[in-house]
Each structure stands twice: as C-alpha cells, then as structure tokens.
Amino acid sequence: MVKEAGYKPLDMKTWARTPYYNYYAHGSKGMCAVTADIDITAMAKKAGQDKIYIPMLYAVTKVINARKEFRVGYCKENGELMVWDYISPIHRVFHPDTETFTRVCTEWKENYKEFAKGAEADIANGEKCATLNADEFPDSVFELSYVPWLRYTSVNMKMSESGKYLAPIVTVGKAEEIDGKIKLPLTMQISHAVADGFHIARFFKEVTEECEKLAASL
C-alpha cells in the first residue's frame, strides 16, 4: 500500500491565491480543462513508441510534484488547506476481456528507475485484479488516465459539484507521427481555485522538457 505523504499547512493570510480560491471554490466553482499536443519524438524513439506509458507517467508526476499549485489539498483532521510534500499517481490497468479497468497507485520516487520498477509491479498487480481498485489509496494522489486507442482533441471531465476537488486530473492520448515528429494529446484538468491558464501552459512546457531529458537516460 502506498503511504500517505506529509504536508504543510497553507497560510490563507499570505497565500497570493486566497481571493481566487474563495471565489472559485465557493462561488463559481470553475475549473480549467486544456488539451495540447506535446512533442515526444526523442523519448518515443528511445523507449519505443509502444512503450511510452511509464516514461510519460513519470514525466507528468515529476512536473506536478515540482509545482505547489498542483499539490494543494485539504487536511482530513481539520478540513483546512494544506500542501502535500508530494503526490502519487492513481492510474489504470485495462482488462481487454471485460473492457473494464483496475485503478492502481504508484508511489512517487524521484529516481526514474525506482519509479518505473514500482509502476511495473503495480501494473502487474492490477492485471490480476477484477476489482475497481487494487488497494486502498492515500489522500495524497492525483488521477491519470491513458487512452492509447485515440488521438483526441479535447477532454472535458466534470469535476466535483462542491468545488472542493483540487487535485489535477490528467489524460494521455494516442501517440502518432505527424510531419516527422511523434506527438500525443495531453490534457490537464484542475480547479480554477488553485491554478489558471498560466500554470497549465507551464505544465505542458515542463512535461515536454522532462520527456526530452528522459530520452537521454532511457
């Protein structure tokens, strides 16, 4: 079982987003959902175009953990805002025979080889499960879905009616070669209470950069 991460309280008096949080979490309950193509040519050629899942999972998780806005959550003891030390990805293992999936959670590790080893074990465990969840999950998580059958142009997944769901929701689509480059659609969805278009644009930029770095080490 993946352990719960530590956290630090968020000071609403000094947090620059406090008025935005109050408006979007309690008022309009707005959310952002942006899809963009990213260039993964170097990584896909190094890993193999059909073996990009774990490298992408790592790249996305590393970028999310590098940014405070993606790690904001609620303390279950007092309900107040806090920032996780890190968050781990909940992802899915598809079952072709039943056309269903099992959710698994891979604990975040900065070292790629350690993370990949854990992800491989979690996926193998998920393949043996016939349940929605392979295990109990901690609260320090975000969601990632992989859709390798479709090159899509947008995803819009409705978030919590309460406006209190703050963790990122990421979708990764089918990689295809276009004009000599291998690209895939990537979607970031997150509450407007903690992030704006600027933060999402930076997310895409940094994931692309991380994929390029990974290509050199795979």
Side-chain angles (χ1 to χ4, degrees):
M1 181 177 176
V2 176
K3 64 184 179 182
E4 190 89 284
Y7 62 86
K8 297 177 181 64
L10 187 60
D11 188 347
M12 300 296 285
K13 294 179 181 179
T14 60
W15 188 33
R17 289 199 65 85
T18 294
Y20 304 89
Y21 168 82
N22 289 335
Y23 178 73
Y24 287 111
H26 303 295
S28 72
K29 299 181 176 64
M31 52 85 73
C32 302
V34 178
T35 298
D37 277 337
I38 66 168
D39 184 348
I40 62 164
T41 305
M43 186 183 76
K45 287 185 175 180
K46 191 71 177 291
Q49 193 167 329
D50 60 340
K51 296 181 180 179
I52 63 166
Y53 178 60
I54 291 179
M56 276 303 304
L57 184 67
Y58 174 86
V60 167
T61 306
K62 183 174 182 179
V63 171
I64 282 175
N65 276 297
R67 295 296 177 181
K68 175 181 175 180
E69 61 266 17
F70 298 138
R71 294 181 282 113
V72 178
Y74 293 98
C75 177
K76 60 185 176 183
E77 282 78 21
N78 57 26
E80 295 181 358
L81 284 175
M82 49 77 175
V83 179
W84 293 110
D85 293 341
Y86 65 89
I87 55 178
S88 299
I90 289 177
H91 49 117
R92 284 117 176 101
V93 178
F94 183 65
H95 302 300
D97 54 336
T98 60
E99 298 182 351
T100 60
F101 62 84
T102 293
R103 296 165 80 232
V104 299
C105 185
T106 297
E107 187 162 3
W108 170 238
K109 301 288 184 182
E110 183 82 21
N111 181 278
Y112 174 73
K113 290 183 178 179
E114 290 181 8
F115 178 83
K117 183 178 179 180
E120 289 169 357
D122 294 327
I123 291 169
N125 183 45
E127 290 173 344
K128 302 173 185 176
C129 295
T131 55
L132 174 61
N133 297 322
D135 203 344
E136 293 184 16
F137 304 137
D139 293 329
S140 49
V141 294
F142 74 95
E143 298 270 356
L144 183 143
S145 295
Y146 182 39
V147 188
W149 314 279
L150 178 67
R151 177 175 170 75
Y152 62 82
T153 56
S154 67
V155 172
N156 189 1
M157 190 178 298
K158 193 172 183 180
M159 297 179 73
S160 170
E161 291 288 343
S162 69
K164 293 295 186 70
Y165 188 88
L166 304 179
I169 299 175
V170 177
T171 307
V172 179
K174 181 181 180 181
E176 288 187 341
E177 185 170 339
I178 301 173
D179 298 326
K181 294 184 178 181
I182 300 173
K183 296 185 178 182
L184 88 170
L186 180 66
T187 304
M188 161 62 81
Q189 302 176 86
I190 195 164
S191 170
H192 230 330
V194 294
D196 304 314
F198 168 82
H199 306 97
I200 295 175
R202 184 168 61 188
F203 166 80
F204 288 113
K205 176 178 179 291
E206 293 181 345
V207 170
T208 301
E209 292 172 348
E210 188 57 41
C211 287
E212 292 174 354
K213 292 177 185 176
L214 268 178
S217 61
L218 291 176

